[in-house]
Amino acid sequence: MDGLPSEKPNEPDGEPQRAPAAALPAMSASSMPPLSRLLPLGHELPFVQPSSYLRPKLRSHTIPVTTTPMSPIDDEQLQGLKGLRDFLRVRTSYDVLPLSFRLIVLDNDLLIKKSLDILIQNGIVSAPLWDSHHSRFAGLLTATDYINLIQYYCQFPEHIDDVEKFRLSSLRDIERAIGVLPLETISVHPSRPLYEACSRMLRSRARRIPLVDIDHETQRETVVSVITQYRILKFIAVNTEQHTMLLKQTVREINLGTYNNLATAKMTDTVLEVINLMVVHNISAVPVIDKNNVVLNVFEAVDVIPCIKGGVYDELKSTVGEALSRRPDDFQGIYTCQEDDRLDSIFTTIRQSRVHRLVVIDDNWHLKGIISLSDILRYVLFCGEEGASLQP
């Protein structure tokens, strides 16, 4: 089967085929400090913030002060969240898919080295795995699997020759050897409610979920596609503006994201050092800062893939700056926000751009926190729900 273009994680390439939202004014970057002051030469990447015009206006002092204690979530916010949840319960995972798409499925007997070449050649960062011996879905190959392989290489350097011989079916053995808790192998039927797919992803720490159907003639499993958290949030943003526009509380008010014990890196750190940070903290991205805590970039798990192209593990000793220079020319940059940005403005950014996380900064571009797509999806599904936890 054909592959997918660009860096998209083996997800359908088309935009959601629902009624698109009306075009909004282009976001202004005039208030941003000069990038030349923030980025070393060769790393002048665009930074994008949610539209400032969507920030809440100061309330008039003439508004009478209520004596009733304010609810943690006001009625309008609750109404917006309820609308989103109702939407996710009536829509199916199949609805998220565009009218046409392509999918790459890798056989479990394929050499890991060859699978890496296939991902790079097709511009994707994940692929479903297939057990041809039993004709069934066998899991999902992601950048995390290559990070685990690197950890194995570092822990058992005497077995370097074996690394080249590993097949995709060996991924679980590698996890056991390095003591990594494997992610649960999950999937969902495409006709099930989208709310169910979201819940399964959040509860299993997965960032994408394969859609697996049953062939009525053979009664065997067949992989239909893979949907990601980004694809789901994009689908929500495009089709439910009447609900997302009600989410006017700020990032600070709803405590969205992570702000304590953040793992960070410098441009001069080695790729291997950053990989170790990802493994220790169980994260998929590390903000890159300078000595003044100013955000320069973000090193993502997918940035590891070009570093081991062709099995050249020596490139793991290269610096973060050198690794980031290998990104494709169409890389869209880093998306940022501030704690006073509202959730509706974040959904506007998701509707207009390909966003995988938001780095929270202050007016001087100092790192404050990071908001993952899991954080946003978890808030939409579970905030205010009795017995639900907003913690991963």
Side-chain angles (χ1 to χ4, degrees), residues 248-288:
K248 296 179 180 178
Q249 289 189 320
T250 67
V251 167
R252 179 185 288 108
E253 289 172 327
I254 63 178
N255 193 30
L256 187 67
T258 302
Y259 299 86
N260 299 318
N261 303 317
L262 294 175
T264 61
K266 301 290 194 298
M267 281 290 187
T268 53
D269 290 345
T270 67
V271 172
L272 196 54
E273 288 172 332
V274 180
I275 288 175
N276 288 333
L277 281 177
M278 290 181 175
V279 173
V280 170
H281 294 274
N282 190 27
I283 54 179
S284 61
V286 177
V288 182

Side-chain angles (χ1 to χ4, degrees), residues 145-188:
D145 293 308
Y146 296 107
I147 288 177
N148 290 339
L149 183 64
I150 292 169
Q151 289 292 103
Y152 182 91
Y153 163 73
C154 294
Q155 293 184 26
F156 306 101
E158 67 275 13
H159 294 159
I160 181 61
D161 292 337
D162 295 335
V163 172
E164 298 293 316
K165 302 174 185 177
F166 281 141
R167 299 183 182 276
L168 293 175
S169 56
S170 306
L171 291 174
R172 305 290 82 85
D173 295 329
I174 294 173
E175 290 173 342
R176 285 190 289 268
I178 63 176
V180 170
L181 183 65
L183 288 175
E184 179 185 355
T185 300
I186 61 170
S187 64
V188 68

Side-chain angles (χ1 to χ4, degrees), residues 12 14 18 382:
R18 315 297 166 225
F382 302 138

Side-chain angles (χ1 to χ4, degrees), residues 287-306:
V288 182
I289 59 175
D290 67 8
K291 63 181 180 180
N292 298 316
N293 199 40
V294 172
V295 176
L296 303 178
N297 215 312
V298 175
F299 187 91
E300 305 173 352
V302 295
D303 291 316
V304 173
I305 293 178

Side-chain angles (χ1 to χ4, degrees), residues 208-264:
R208 49 182 62 82
I209 185 169
L211 306 183
V212 179
D213 200 350
I214 300 295
D215 188 297
H216 295 297
E217 294 184 359
T218 64
Q219 294 302 307
R220 291 179 176 178
E221 293 181 337
T222 179
V223 181
V224 176
S225 187
V226 177
I227 55 175
T228 64
Q229 291 180 350
Y230 162 75
R231 175 63 58 177
I232 292 171
L233 287 170
K234 179 88 166 185
F235 183 70
I236 292 173
V238 167
N239 292 283
T240 64
E241 189 176 1
Q242 72 274 24
H243 300 310
T244 59
M245 67 185 295
L246 300 178
L247 306 178
K248 296 179 180 178
Q249 289 189 320
T250 67
V251 167
R252 179 185 288 108
E253 289 172 327
I254 63 178
N255 193 30
L256 187 67
T258 302
Y259 299 86
N260 299 318
N261 303 317
L262 294 175
T264 61

